Amino acid sequence: MLELHNNSTEQVLVQDSRMSLKPRRVDFDATWKLLKETLEGVITCGSVQRVTWNDRFSDVYKLCTALPEPHGDSLYQSTKEFLEEHVRCLHQEIISAGEEHMLEMYHKHWERFNTGAGYLNQLYGYLNNTYIKKQKYSDADMNYGVFPVDADCLLEIGELAKDIWKNVMIDPVKHKLVVLLLQEIAKDRTGYDVNQTVVHSVVTSFVDVAEYKKKSPLELYQEIFENQFLKETGEFYRHEAARLKADCTCSEYLEKVIQRLDNENFRSRKFLHSTSYAKVTHEVQTRMVADIIDFLHGECKDMVEQEKRKDLTNLYILLKPIHKGLEVLVKEVESHIKQQGIQSVVSLKNDPTFVEAMLKVYHKFKELIADVFNNDQAFTGALDKACSAVINHKPQNSRQPNRSPELLAKYCDSLLKKSTKGVGDVELDEKLSGSIIIFKYLDDKDVFQRFYSRMLAKRLIYSQSASMDAEESMITRLKQACGYEFTNKLHRMFTDVSVSSDHVVNFYAFLNERNAALGVNFNILVFQAGAWPITQQNNISFHIPQQLEKSVRLFEEFYNKKFNGRKLTWMQALSNVELKLCYLKKSYIVTMSTFQMATLLPFETSDSLHFSDIRTSTDLPEKELVKQLQTLVDTKILLTHENLVTENSTLALNLTYSNKRTKFKIMAAIQKENPQEVESTHSAVDEDRKLYLQAAIVRIMKARKTIKHNNLIQEVISQARSRFSPSISMIKKSIETLIEKAYLERVSGTTDEYSYIA
C-alpha cells in the first residue's frame, strides 16, 4: 500500500520538472478513465504505486489547466458521482450484514473511507487550491458579509467525500446506528464487555463528517446521538438513584453516587466526543443529586453534629456543582461551630483563658474545613461568622458590655508580664499570634485598645515586661491587623520610655555640673499626656516627703531649662520606691508605692501614730490614706486593732515582723485593676466613640455636601467598622449634636436629608 505524505506535491513537481507545465489540450474521458482506476485504489486504501500516484497527480493538473477550457467542473462532478456510487455500495454491504454486525461493518468501512478521503484530498490538491477555493466564500465574507455561514458552495474533495458519507451512508441508517450504539453503552454500564474501538469510531464519525463546517461542526453529532444519549442516561440514573436510595443508608448512597460519577466519566472518555464529557457528568449529578437534594440536605445536620468527615467530604463533592447546593451545609457548619464555641467558652467568660478555649475551637474547625471542604471560601466564611458570633456573644436581655476585649487584653498581659513561667520564645510567639486571631474577630476593637494600653502602661511603668522585643512584636501585629492609627499611641509610649532613659543620663550630668547630691537613687519617666491612658483629673496631690523634695526640685529645674514652655505634672500615685527597713532583727528592702512610703516615714520618730497624725503628715485624702495603710496592715508591717484601718485607728510598727525574703514587693494590691478602673475604661471608650462618630460624620459631609439620612448612617457604620460596631441610636445622637454645633443642618422641605455648613 502506498504511504502518502503532505509533501507529495513538491515531490511530483521535482520528478516532472522536464514536463512542460504549459496548458494543452486533454482528452477528458481517457484521462478520467485512468484517474478513476487509481481513485478506487486510493479510496479503499489499496495498493497504489508511487509512479502511478505521480502520474495521476499530473493528470489532475492537466485537466485543471486544459485548453481551450479547463475541465475542473467535469472533474469535480465525475469525482462526486464516483464517491456517491462507492458509498452506496458500502451502504448495501452494511445493510446486508444485519444488525448484529452493522456497527463492526460501519466501523471497518468508515475508518478505511476516512483515511482514503484524506489521501484523495492530497491527490486533488491542485483542484482544491485553484478551482474550488476560488469559488468559496472567504472567512471575512462568512463573518461580516451577507453570505450564510454554510452557504451552498463547492467543497474540497476531502470535505466532499465526508459530506457524501453523511448523506448517503449516515442519513439512511442513523436511527438504527444510534439504537445499536445506545444498546452497546447500556451493556457497558451493566458490566458486559463491548468493543470500545468500534463504538468510539462510530460515535466520533458523526463529528468527523461535519468538522469542515465553520460554526456548527457538532450539529449532526448532537442532533442524532448526543441528545438521545443524554436523555437515556438521565432515565437510567433516575431509576438508579431511586433504587440506591431505597436500598442504602445515606452514607452508602453518597459513596455509590461518587462511584457512578467516576464510572460514567471514564465511560464518556471511552466512547464519546470530548464536548459531551461535562454534559454527561451534569446529567448524572442532576438525576442522582439535584433531584433528591431535599433528602441530602435533611441529612446535613446529623452529619455535621457528629462530624462524620468521610460522609461530609462525599456530600461536599456532590453538592458543590449544584446551584445553591452547599447553602444548607454551610449554614449547618456555621451553626455547629457557633454551638461548640459557646459551649467551650460560656463558663470562661470571666477568665482570660477563654482565649485559649476559643483558639482550640478555631484551630479544630479550621483543620476540619481544610481537610473536608478543601478550604472552600464558603466554609471559611462560615468559620469566621461563627467565631465572630461566639467572641462577641452577649447574653439576651443583658446590658453588660461584652467582656471579650477586656479578657483578651488580660490574656496578652499575662503573656507579656515577667510573671509568665515556663513559656519559651517560640511558644510565646505562637500564643501572641493566636491572640491576634481572636482580636480580628472582635467587634469592639477600641475597647481592647483601651484595656491593652492601660495594661501596657503598667508593665512599662513598673518594669514588668518579660521582653521588650515581645512587646514590640505584639504592637507590630496589631498594626498589621488595624493600621498605624490604631497603634500610634502604643508606639509613642515605647518612645517615651526610651527618651526617659536619656533624660535620666542628662539629669545626672546636670547634677555633676552643680556638684549636687540627691541622697537617694533617682529614676524618672516622662510621658506625653496625650499618649498614655492616665487621667490627670484624678491625680492625687500630697505632701512630698522631705527626702524627695530635693530630687523633685532639681529635676524640675533641669527639665524647665532644657524644655522651655513644657509643664510637668507629677503622677505620684504611679511612682514607687525601694525602702530599707532597719528597725527589725534583719534588714529588708521593700518595693512599695510612694504613698506607702510617705505613710511609713513618720514612724522613723515614733513606733505608734494615730490616723490623724499620718493624714497631717502626708495630706493624702482620707479614702486614699485608708487604702494605703490597709495594704501595710494586710502585709503585717503595721498593726492596728482588728486589722481594720479607720479614721479612729492607731497604727503601730510591727517590731516582730519577719519575712523569708529580704527583698520583696508590696505593690500588687495597688497595681491590681479594680472595678472602678474597668468602669472608667468603658466610660472613656464611650466618650472616644462619640468624638470618633462626630469626626466621621463631618468628614463624610465635607465630601458629600448633602446626603440622605440612611446613606449617612451606612457610610458612618462602614467607616467605624474597623474599630467598633456603632449603634444607630449613637449615630443619631452624634448627628443631633453636630446640628446643635452648627456643623450641618436639615435641608428645608425634607425630613431625611442633611447639608454641610461650610
Side-chain angles (χ1 to χ4, degrees):
M1 175 180 158
L2 175 65
E3 215 176 293
L4 301 175
H5 303 281
N6 290 332
N7 60 351
S8 59
T9 303
E10 181 183 351
Q11 292 174 337
V12 171
L13 291 176
V14 171
Q15 291 171 0
D16 294 346
S17 59
R18 293 170 296 173
M19 179 189 73
S20 172
L21 298 178
K22 290 178 62 177
R24 55 185 174 176
R25 294 180 179 276
V26 181
D27 184 343
F28 177 79
D29 292 336
T31 305
W32 169 248
K33 183 178 180 182
L34 294 172
L35 184 58
K36 184 178 179 182
E37 292 175 2
T38 305
L39 293 185
E40 290 174 352
V42 172
I43 200 65
T44 58
C45 296
S47 177
V48 177
Q49 299 298 316
R50 171 62 68 179
V51 174
T52 304
W53 170 270
N54 291 340
D55 289 341
R56 298 297 81 78
F57 195 93
S58 298
D59 290 341
V60 171
Y61 173 77
K62 292 173 185 176
L63 291 171
C64 291
T65 59
L67 292 175
E69 291 291 336
H71 296 296
D73 284 336
S74 299
L75 178 60
Y76 185 86
Q77 189 61 35
S78 297
T79 304
K80 180 180 179 182
E81 292 171 359
F82 165 78
L83 289 172
E84 287 174 344
E85 180 60 30
H86 177 70
V87 175
R88 273 194 288 270
C89 292
L90 297 181
H91 176 259
Q92 288 301 319
E93 286 188 36
I94 292 172
I95 295 297
S96 301
E99 291 185 6
E100 186 177 352
H101 302 290
M102 180 176 282
L103 291 180
E104 287 84 349
M105 288 294 290
Y106 179 96
H107 158 67
K108 172 186 170 185
H109 288 312
W110 162 248
E111 291 296 322
R112 184 182 298 166
F113 181 84
N114 191 31
T115 304
Y119 290 139
L120 202 61
N121 200 56
Q122 294 181 38
L123 184 62
Y124 278 75
Y126 191 82
L127 181 71
N128 290 335
N129 293 325
T130 61
Y131 175 69
I132 296 174
K133 285 188 177 179
K134 286 182 180 179
Q135 300 184 46
K136 273 192 168 183
Y137 300 125
S138 67
D139 289 342
D141 291 331
M142 299 295 187
N143 293 327
Y144 308 110
V146 297
F147 307 107
V149 173
D150 292 319
D152 189 17
C153 58
L154 296 181
L155 301 174
E156 293 183 24
I157 298 303
E159 298 171 351
L160 176 65
K162 292 182 178 180
D163 188 62
I164 290 171
W165 182 273
K166 181 259 181 190
N167 295 328
V168 178
M169 176 66 77
I170 294 178
D171 283 352
V173 296
K174 59 186 178 184
H175 298 297
K176 178 56 68 177
L177 283 177
V178 170
V179 168
L180 294 173
L181 288 170
L182 294 177
Q183 288 176 356
E184 291 297 296
I185 295 174
K187 287 180 184 178
D188 186 77
R189 283 199 183 107
T190 53
Y192 290 94
D193 290 332
V194 299
N195 193 323
Q196 174 185 337
T197 304
V198 169
V199 175
H200 183 265
S201 172
V202 177
V203 169
T204 55
S205 74
F206 303 151
V207 178
D208 293 340
V209 296
E211 64 181 354
Y212 65 88
K213 294 187 177 181
K214 296 293 183 184
K215 292 190 176 180
S216 56
L218 298 172
E219 184 178 3
L220 177 68
Y221 168 76
Q222 292 168 350
E223 180 185 333
I224 69 172
F225 174 76
E226 185 185 68
N227 294 339
Q228 185 64 25
F229 172 76
L230 292 175
K231 182 180 178 181
E232 293 209 1
T233 299
E235 284 299 314
F236 176 83
Y237 283 107
R238 181 184 285 109
H239 293 298
E240 185 73 354
R243 184 183 68 81
L244 292 175
K245 185 181 170 188
D247 296 344
C248 304
T249 64
C250 185
S251 176
E252 293 169 339
Y253 181 84
L254 296 175
E255 290 187 1
K256 289 185 182 296
V257 171
I258 289 176
Q259 186 180 18
R260 297 296 189 277
L261 277 166
D262 290 341
N263 291 344
E264 200 62 34
N265 190 36
F266 179 67
R267 187 172 294 110
S268 296
R269 280 154 177 75
K270 285 199 302 183
F271 299 135
L272 309 182
H273 187 260
S274 59
T275 57
S276 297
Y277 299 166
K279 296 177 184 178
V280 174
T281 300
H282 175 73
E283 190 67 29
V284 179
Q285 289 168 340
T286 300
R287 302 305 162 217
M288 302 199 79
V289 182
D291 287 354
I292 61 160
I293 200 165
D294 290 341
F295 164 71
L296 297 176
H297 282 165
E299 298 292 321
C300 287
K301 186 177 181 66
D302 180 62
M303 290 182 185
V304 172
E305 288 181 350
Q306 297 184 38
E307 296 179 18
K308 298 178 178 179
R309 292 199 171 204
K310 178 62 177 174
D311 290 348
L312 288 173
T313 300
N314 292 338
L315 190 61
Y316 169 73
I317 291 171
L318 294 178
L319 292 179
K320 184 174 174 59
I322 308 302
H323 179 59
K324 295 185 178 181
L326 288 175
E327 283 187 353
V328 172
L329 182 58
V330 170
K331 288 179 182 177
E332 290 295 344
V333 169
E334 180 183 338
S335 176
H336 179 62
I337 297 173
K338 182 177 177 181
Q339 182 184 11
Q340 291 281 300
I342 290 175
Q343 287 178 355
S344 298
V345 305
V346 68
S347 61
L348 303 171
K349 267 300 182 181
N350 295 318
D351 190 333
T353 55
F354 108 92
V355 175
E356 292 187 351
M358 189 64 226
L359 282 172
K360 188 175 180 181
V361 173
Y362 170 82
H363 288 302
K364 171 189 173 182
F365 286 103
K366 184 175 176 61
E367 185 275 329
L368 183 143
I369 289 170
D371 180 47
V372 175
F373 305 120
N374 198 28
N375 277 328
D376 189 292
Q377 189 174 358
F379 292 93
T380 302
L383 173 64
D384 290 340
K385 287 180 183 177
C387 289
S388 179
V390 174
I391 292 169
N392 298 294
H393 175 71
K394 291 182 183 178
Q396 289 184 347
N397 302 322
S398 173
R399 294 187 177 181
Q400 293 297 320
N402 178 263
R403 294 203 62 199
S404 295
E406 176 190 349
L407 296 176
L408 178 60
K410 287 181 177 179
Y411 176 76
C412 295
D413 185 55
S414 68
L415 293 175
L416 294 166
K417 269 185 179 178
K418 283 182 179 177
S419 57
T420 305
K421 296 180 181 179
V423 178
D425 291 342
V426 175
E427 185 181 355
L428 176 61
D429 191 67
E430 289 177 354
K431 287 179 179 289
L432 292 177
S433 296
S435 67
I436 292 296
I437 292 173
I438 303 300
F439 169 77
K440 288 179 179 179
Y441 289 120
L442 289 177
D443 284 344
D444 300 329
K445 292 182 173 63
D446 56 341
V447 177
F448 169 85
Q449 182 192 39
R450 272 282 177 175
F451 278 102
Y452 187 88
S453 60
R454 276 183 179 270
M455 295 170 188
L456 173 63
K458 289 185 178 181
R459 293 196 298 274
L460 295 177
I461 291 171
Y462 301 119
S463 301
Q464 290 182 329
S465 290
S467 166
M468 296 304 285
D469 289 339
E471 294 279 11
E472 291 196 47
S473 173
M474 183 61 186
I475 293 175
T476 300
R477 286 182 168 94
L478 291 171
K479 179 180 177 182
Q480 291 171 347
C482 261
Y484 173 77
E485 183 183 350
F486 188 84
T487 57
N488 183 27
K489 290 184 178 180
L490 304 181
H491 280 294
R492 286 163 62 190
M493 289 164 68
F494 266 89
T495 302
D496 286 349
V497 172
S498 176
V499 171
S500 294
S501 300
D502 296 335
H503 288 331
V504 172
V505 172
N506 294 332
F507 176 56
Y508 276 99
F510 168 80
L511 294 176
N512 288 334
E513 291 176 4
R514 296 284 188 91
N515 292 320
L518 299 179
V520 295
N521 291 327
F522 182 79
N523 191 38
I524 194 78
L525 293 174
V526 182
F527 303 148
Q528 301 176 62
W532 291 71
I534 299 168
T535 54
Q536 297 185 26
Q537 292 86 349
N538 298 326
N539 192 25
I540 300 170
S541 61
F542 81 123
H543 286 162
I544 297 175
Q546 183 180 357
Q547 294 86 338
L548 297 180
E549 282 183 350
K550 186 176 182 182
S551 303
V552 171
R553 177 174 51 80
L554 286 174
F555 185 81
E556 285 183 342
E557 182 181 342
F558 154 78
Y559 194 81
N560 290 331
K561 182 179 179 182
K562 186 172 183 180
F563 302 103
N564 187 25
R566 293 188 184 180
K567 181 184 177 182
L568 285 177
T569 301
W570 293 86
M571 307 296 293
Q572 299 292 356
L574 301 175
S575 303
N576 59 83
V577 298
E578 282 189 353
L579 187 66
K580 189 173 184 180
L581 305 182
C582 302
Y583 58 90
L584 300 167
K585 291 182 180 180
K586 61 179 180 179
S587 297
Y588 295 96
I589 297 176
V590 187
T591 301
M592 61 180 64
S593 72
T594 303
F595 289 166
Q596 290 170 336
M597 176 204 69
T599 60
L600 277 178
L601 287 179
F603 287 94
E604 281 189 312
T605 56
S606 176
D607 291 343
S608 176
L609 290 170
H610 191 268
F611 180 88
S612 59
D613 296 330
I614 302 173
R615 181 171 56 189
T616 302
S617 174
T618 60
D619 197 28
L620 280 169
E622 182 178 318
K623 185 177 179 180
E624 184 64 29
L625 181 58
V626 169
K627 184 172 74 171
Q628 301 297 337
L629 288 172
Q630 188 65 55
T631 303
L632 294 172
V633 169
D634 291 342
T635 54
K636 308 298 183 183
I637 291 176
L638 293 180
L639 301 175
T640 189
H641 180 66
E642 294 183 353
N643 293 325
L644 183 65
V645 178
T646 67
E647 60 180 2
N648 298 318
S649 297
T650 298
L651 297 106
L653 284 175
N654 182 4
L655 300 177
T656 60
Y657 178 82
S658 65
N659 196 315
K660 293 180 181 179
R661 298 180 178 179
T662 57
K663 190 172 183 178
F664 57 92
K665 297 179 181 180
I666 58 171
M667 297 174 59
I670 304 300
Q671 294 174 22
K672 189 175 181 181
E673 196 164 47
N674 54 50
Q676 289 77 18
E677 283 185 309
V678 173
E679 187 176 342
S680 68
T681 300
H682 283 290
S683 298
V685 168
D686 287 340
E687 290 302 316
D688 286 348
R689 287 182 174 182
K690 291 175 184 176
L691 296 175
Y692 182 91
L693 291 176
Q694 290 176 27
I697 293 169
V698 169
R699 281 196 302 271
I700 294 167
M701 293 304 300
K702 272 187 176 181
R704 295 296 189 90
K705 304 305 180 187
T706 61
I707 192 172
K708 295 281 188 180
H709 175 80
N710 289 339
N711 293 340
L712 179 58
I713 295 287
Q714 292 304 316
E715 289 205 32
V716 171
I717 290 173
S718 177
Q719 287 196 17
R721 187 176 290 122
S722 63
R723 293 177 62 86
F724 63 98
S725 297
S727 64
I728 303 297
S729 61
M730 185 181 291
I731 298 174
K732 287 181 177 178
K733 287 178 182 178
S734 297
I735 293 173
E736 294 298 330
T737 301
L738 290 172
I739 291 175
E740 292 173 6
K741 293 179 179 179
Y743 279 94
L744 58 151
E745 64 183 1
R746 289 185 174 87
V747 176
S748 60
T750 67
T751 58
D752 65 340
E753 191 170 4
Y754 308 104
S755 65
Y756 179 66
I757 302 175

